Amino acid sequence: MKNAKGLLFLYASRSLSFNSSGRTVTTSIWKPQSIADDCNHPIGGVVKRRRHPIISSMKTQYTINDEVCPPMDPGELKEIVQKHCSTLYMFLEKKPIAKHTKAAFDEISTFVDPSKKIILDSGCGTARSTLLLGDMYTDHTVIGIDRSFVRLSRSTIAKQDDGDMDLLLDSTIPTENSLRPFQAVSSNVLLVRAELVDFWSCCWNAGWNISQHYILYPNPYPKKNRVKKRFYAHPSFPLLLKLGGDITLRSNWEGYLKEFADSVKYAHEFYSSESSDNFALPYIHDANIGPLERMDKSVSFTNFEKKYDNVGENTFQLQLRRSK
C-alpha cells in the first residue's frame, strides 16, 4: 500500500483485547511502517528505527534529485514565468492584502529605522536563520516572516556549551509575545506573522530599501501537481525580483535552485522583448552561473541544514546578487 507521497508502506498488526458489555472483544491495530525503516528490537522490546534511502541514487533519506523529483519541461516553465511577468499588476490588483498582514506591517513599521538597510528572511520558520542573520549584520534591521504562530513561538534560543544555538521547541504553551502579530526579539531583529506575498507588497508600496533577501526553506512543494506554488512558478515571482536586494536561496534540492535560476533568465527574456522595466536584469549574471554546492558547513542557517549536515546530505546555494 502507498501513502500520500507515493512511498510503499508495509503494515504490521498486533491484537488487543478489551471488555465491551461483558464480552471480550479482540481487535487488530494496523500500523504503517515505511520500507525505509530498519526495525530492530533490542532487549526490553523498544523499537529503534533507522531511516535509509528509498532508491539507490539517493545519498541519504533526505535526498531530492532528478530521479526522485523530475525537472519541469523547460518550455512549460518558460510559459508559466513569462505569463506571470505579463500579468503581475493584474494579479496584485485582484489579490487584496490580508488584514492581519497589513496590521502587522503597520505595527512593525514603527520599529524599522529608515536609515538602516533591511534584510528579509522569508518563510523563516522557527527563526533560527533570522537570529543568526541578526548577529551577523548588526547594522541592519533583520525581519523574519512566517505565517505560523506555532513556528514563530519556537524562536527562543539557548546557547549550549559549544556555542551552538539550538531552538527550544516547546511551543505547547503560547506566550504573550508569540500571540502578537510581531515580536521585537532584539535591537535589530523583528519577527512577524504575515502572508509572504502580501508582506512583500507592503514593503514595495512603502519603498523599503531591501538590502538582502533570504529564502531558506529547502524543498517547497516537490510534488508535480503543486509546482505553481513554488516561488519561481507562482504569480508573485516578478514581485520578488522587483522587490530587489541580493537574493539567497539554499536547499538540498539542486534541481529546485536550477529552475529558480532558469526562471530569472526566462523573466529577463520577457522583459527584454517587451521593453519594460527589467526586474530580472540585475540578477542575470548570477542566474547564468546557477547554484553551487555549499562547502562551508561551519554555520547551519536552519534546522533543516543542521539535520542535513549531520547525516552528510549535500546542500546547495543560489546567490543572486544585484549587479552594480
Side-chain angles (χ1 to χ4, degrees):
M1 187 171 181
K2 293 185 179 182
N3 71 343
K5 294 184 177 180
L7 301 180
L8 182 63
F9 270 64
L10 305 177
Y11 282 80
S13 68
R14 59 189 178 93
S15 295
L16 295 179
S17 296
F18 61 93
N19 188 278
S20 175
S21 302
R23 296 181 300 166
T24 299
V25 180
T26 301
T27 186
S28 293
I29 296 178
W30 294 85
K31 184 176 181 181
Q33 178 180 329
S34 169
I35 62 173
D37 290 344
D38 177 20
C39 298
N40 301 309
H41 298 267
I43 296 175
V46 178
V47 178
K48 181 180 179 181
R49 293 190 177 93
R50 292 178 298 171
R51 300 173 64 184
H52 297 285
I54 302 296
I55 57 179
S56 59
S57 65
M58 295 171 61
K59 183 177 181 180
T60 76
Q61 68 267 36
Y62 304 112
T63 300
I64 302 181
N65 55 26
D66 287 351
E67 187 175 359
V68 175
C69 187
M72 288 187 66
D73 175 74
E76 180 185 0
L77 179 57
K78 178 179 177 179
E79 182 179 351
I80 291 172
V81 171
Q82 295 191 347
K83 176 185 176 182
H84 292 159
C85 289
S86 67
T87 59
L88 173 63
Y89 295 108
M90 186 183 305
F91 166 73
L92 295 176
E93 286 175 5
K94 291 184 176 181
K95 187 184 186 306
I97 294 175
K99 290 182 179 179
H100 74 276
T101 297
K102 183 62 167 66
F105 183 85
D106 290 343
E107 286 196 52
I108 205 173
S109 295
T110 62
F111 288 80
V112 175
D113 184 347
S115 66
K116 286 187 176 181
K117 294 180 179 180
I118 297 171
I119 296 176
L120 297 184
D121 185 11
S122 289
C124 65
T126 59
R128 176 189 178 93
S129 52
T130 315
L131 295 165
L132 288 170
L133 289 168
D135 286 342
M136 292 169 60
Y137 299 98
T138 55
D139 58 340
H140 289 58
T141 299
V142 183
I143 303 174
I145 312 147
D146 200 276
R147 68 190 308 180
S148 168
F149 271 138
V150 174
R151 287 189 290 267
L152 287 175
S153 68
R154 297 174 179 174
S155 61
T156 306
I157 59 171
K159 275 191 175 292
Q160 305 298 331
D161 292 339
D162 60 0
D164 188 22
M165 300 172 72
D166 284 328
L167 298 174
L168 301 180
L169 300 182
D170 182 9
S171 61
T172 56
I173 304 176
T175 64
E176 181 180 352
N177 277 342
S178 70
L179 296 177
R180 298 177 62 192
F182 79 95
Q183 304 172 47
V185 296
S186 73
S187 61
N188 72 319
V189 174
L190 304 170
L191 303 180
V192 58
R193 175 186 173 269
E195 301 296 327
L196 277 183
V197 175
D198 294 347
F199 195 86
W200 294 348
S201 294
C202 290
C203 291
W204 173 256
N205 293 335
W208 279 9
N209 175 22
I210 307 301
S211 173
Q212 299 184 58
H213 195 166
Y214 285 81
I215 303 175
L216 301 175
Y217 184 68
N219 47 17
Y221 305 105
K223 292 184 180 180
K224 187 176 180 179
N225 63 353
R226 306 190 75 185
V227 66
K228 291 186 179 180
K229 289 184 175 292
R230 299 176 194 169
F231 288 112
Y232 54 79
H234 191 270
S236 64
F237 178 65
L239 175 62
L240 172 59
L241 302 178
K242 181 179 178 181
L243 198 57
D246 294 345
I247 302 172
T248 300
L249 301 98
R250 285 186 176 185
S251 180
N252 66 319
W253 182 10
E254 186 180 14
Y256 161 69
L257 299 181
K258 286 181 177 178
E259 290 186 344
F260 195 106
D262 288 341
S263 297
V264 174
K265 290 184 273 188
Y266 297 145
H268 171 64
E269 181 181 320
F270 171 82
Y271 289 129
S272 298
S273 64
E274 293 294 317
S275 300
S276 57
D277 292 334
N278 191 340
F279 306 126
L281 178 60
Y283 302 111
I284 196 64
H285 178 268
D286 282 349
N288 285 324
I289 296 174
L292 301 174
E293 186 172 353
R294 174 176 158 260
M295 305 306 294
D296 182 2
K297 307 294 179 69
S298 59
V299 176
S300 301
F301 267 128
T302 67
N303 292 333
F304 288 104
E305 281 186 3
K306 185 174 182 180
K307 175 174 63 178
Y308 298 153
D309 291 347
N310 287 342
V311 299
E313 170 75 350
N314 293 339
T315 52
F316 305 88
Q317 175 171 288
L318 175 64
Q319 191 166 26
L320 299 170
R321 296 161 295 187
R322 290 178 62 88
S323 57
K324 304 300 182 183

